[in-house]
Amino acid sequence: MARINASTPLSRLRVLDLSRVRAGPTCVRILADFGADVIRIEPPAGIDPNEAMFAADRNGGDFQNLNRNKRSMTLNLKKPAGLAVFKQLVATADVVVENWRPDVKTRLGVDYETLRAINPRIILASISGFGQDGPYAPRPGFDQIIQGMGGLMSVTGFPGGGPLRAGLAVADCSTGIYAAVGILLALLEREHSGQGQWVHSSLLHTQIALMDFQAARYLNDGDTPVQAGNDHPTSSPMGLFEASDGTFNLGASGEGNWRRLCECLDKPQWLDDPRYATEKLRVLNRTALNASLARCFSQHTVAHWVERLNQIGVPAGPVYSIPQVFDDAQVKHLAVAQSVADDTGHEYHLISQPVTLTRTPAHIVRPAPGWGEHTREMLAELGYQDNEVEHLYDEGVV
């Protein structure tokens, strides 16, 4: 198979993907969907004791969604011949992405200075749990560990309910996105300097950055965020409300939305109520306000309130299960779920890129590769003869 170029924006770039699990593959997926020639480099079977984390269910939706539009080759970097092949690939590449613990790349001989000596234009993107140096740098980092240490679990859930994990891999996915942004910035800078550089991001820093206004409140105002359940910590009325047949979310933050909401509910007296005169007062008196709103909202259905509130410009929306998400008219219009078939005709349904380039959009053109599916092809591209390839297999290099 020739190189996979799903689109054109990054089609002149080659990316070597050494990453595993989620943060790294999330980063590389962005590059692949926008056209980079991505080569996923994996150890041969039996080398990595944690291989089940990235290879146990390659046909499952999660692996397919993370690793589409990539080629795959196996390479044992612990063997000198394997490292030699990798260095040949580095000479042809623009980007290397890895998410090992910081010391691993140095022990393997694939640290930035080593790669830079081979290819001064190379960009190495390193993703870690805690950063490339510092007291926690050697620690392994998983998303849930970082949700706890980055403060997210302390503000998630209901007051008094104890720390609660968010229902998705917030730190992993976001760190991958930040790393992709860093890679693209380094590529842009390289257009002027002609030099690559080392890009690194950590789950811990990313998770704290995602705390955003919650963290800024503490740093600047001395206001320690706490759990607020389904209510917004600093805006009201904003949260989850019960209609006659289910729940919906309301976002009537700001004076304009507040006035429109009162008019919609035929409650002009609320506009004159001193308890609700400002946003801060509405937060302070949230319990009374929410109780009054609950009595109003119980009179009609979710569909009624979502339609009526949006008509007057007050944000509101239903609360969906995952099947309901993909059955929604706007989700279908946005083509969030896209299908791609493998060589047997089996279709996978994957999540498209949420950023649209009007002339050169991302595409999903191939499902995730088989384990080492393109090893022979890649070695041939590097000039290896058939007998040399067989020798590499015999020696456990590939």
Side-chain angles (χ1 to χ4, degrees):
M1 176 190 293
R3 56 193 291 162
I4 300 170
N5 295 123
S7 186
T8 56
L10 303 179
S11 60
R12 61 193 176 93
L13 302 176
R14 169 169 283 182
V15 178
L16 306 181
D17 180 12
L18 295 167
S19 68
R20 303 289 179 267
V21 193
R22 189 164 312 281
T26 296
C27 166
V28 177
R29 176 176 59 193
I30 296 171
L31 309 179
D33 288 358
F34 281 101
D37 174 29
V38 174
I39 303 162
R40 179 177 166 83
I41 299 174
E42 306 174 80
I47 300 299
D48 188 337
N50 295 313
E51 67 184 30
M53 295 180 65
F54 62 85
D57 188 10
R58 299 179 76 95
N59 294 321
D62 187 27
F63 186 89
Q64 288 290 323
N65 192 51
L66 281 168
N67 293 292
R68 75 277 187 110
N69 289 337
K70 302 177 184 180
R71 293 190 284 177
S72 168
M73 73 176 297
T74 52
L75 203 55
N76 186 351
L77 297 179
K78 296 179 180 179
K79 287 183 174 288
L83 185 59
V85 172
F86 179 73
K87 289 181 176 180
Q88 287 179 272
L89 286 167
V90 169
T92 73
D94 299 276
V95 179
V96 175
V97 179
E98 58 88 12
N99 61 348
W100 299 313
R101 276 182 279 184
D103 63 313
V104 172
K105 56 184 166 291
T106 302
R107 286 193 283 108
L108 290 175
V110 295
D111 56 279
Y112 175 65
E113 291 303 325
T114 299
L115 302 186
R116 181 171 178 264
I118 300 166
N119 180 356
R121 292 174 58 83
I122 200 72
I123 293 162
L124 172 63
S126 297
I127 298 171
S128 63
F130 297 94
Q132 294 299 305
D133 49 33
Y136 298 165
R139 293 185 181 183
F142 274 11
D143 184 90
Q144 181 155 346
I145 309 303
I146 303 302
Q147 285 193 32
M149 294 182 68
L152 179 59
M153 292 175 70
S154 75
V155 299
T156 304
F158 289 89
L164 188 66
R165 174 188 179 275
L168 70 161
V170 180
D172 274 341
C173 295
S174 300
T175 305
I177 295 168
Y178 272 115
V181 171
I183 290 167
L184 295 173
L185 290 170
L187 287 166
L188 184 61
E189 192 279 336
R190 193 179 72 175
E191 296 294 314
H192 298 282
S193 69
Q195 298 292 310
Q197 57 184 304
W198 187 18
V199 174
H200 43 93
S201 61
S202 72
L203 274 66
L204 181 61
H205 195 159
T206 295
Q207 180 62 78
I208 297 170
L210 291 175
M211 295 298 289
D212 194 52
F213 76 97
Q214 297 278 48
R217 286 168 59 199
Y218 169 72
L219 290 174
N220 296 279
D221 308 324
D223 186 0
T224 301
V226 296
Q227 293 165 315
N230 287 314
D231 293 317
H232 192 282
T234 62
S235 296
S236 178
M238 182 179 289
L240 189 71
F241 290 89
E242 289 279 346
S244 63
D245 64 342
T247 56
F248 71 98
N249 279 311
L250 170 72
S253 176
E255 296 309 314
N257 281 329
W258 168 241
R259 181 170 294 276
R260 286 190 289 272
L261 177 64
C262 292
E263 292 170 353
C264 173
L265 298 178
D266 194 23
K267 296 293 182 181
Q269 66 271 27
W270 289 355
L271 295 172
D272 300 320
D273 192 322
R275 296 174 299 171
Y276 308 144
T278 66
E279 184 94 43
K280 287 187 176 181
L281 286 170
R282 292 193 290 274
V283 172
L284 186 64
N285 295 289
R286 191 199 310 269
T287 300
L289 177 54
N290 282 1
S292 296
L293 286 167
R295 288 191 289 273
C296 294
F297 291 143
S298 67
Q299 302 302 308
H300 296 287
T301 65
V302 169
H304 169 88
W305 290 119
V306 169
E307 183 66 23
R308 186 172 178 187
L309 291 166
N310 279 288
Q311 282 178 345
I312 63 168
V314 175
V319 178
Y320 285 155
S321 66
I322 297 300
Q324 289 172 318
V325 168
F326 289 102
D327 197 41
D328 182 86
Q330 185 65 24
V331 174
K332 290 180 178 179
H333 173 79
L334 293 172
V336 173
Q338 295 184 7
S339 299
V340 64
D342 63 18
D343 292 336
T344 70
H346 176 77
E347 280 198 340
Y348 296 97
H349 309 290
L350 310 177
I351 311 302
S352 61
Q353 284 294 336
V355 59
T356 299
L357 276 63
T358 56
R359 288 190 298 103
T360 56
H363 294 292
I364 303 173
V365 298
R366 292 285 301 180
W371 198 347
E373 178 180 345
H374 306 99
T375 301
R376 292 180 183 276
E377 173 185 312
M378 291 307 309
L379 291 171
E381 286 186 21
L382 292 173
Y384 283 81
Q385 301 301 309
D386 289 347
N387 63 316
E388 295 173 313
V389 171
E390 292 306 323
H391 179 71
L392 292 175
Y393 274 103
D394 291 341
E395 294 297 313
V397 174
V398 297

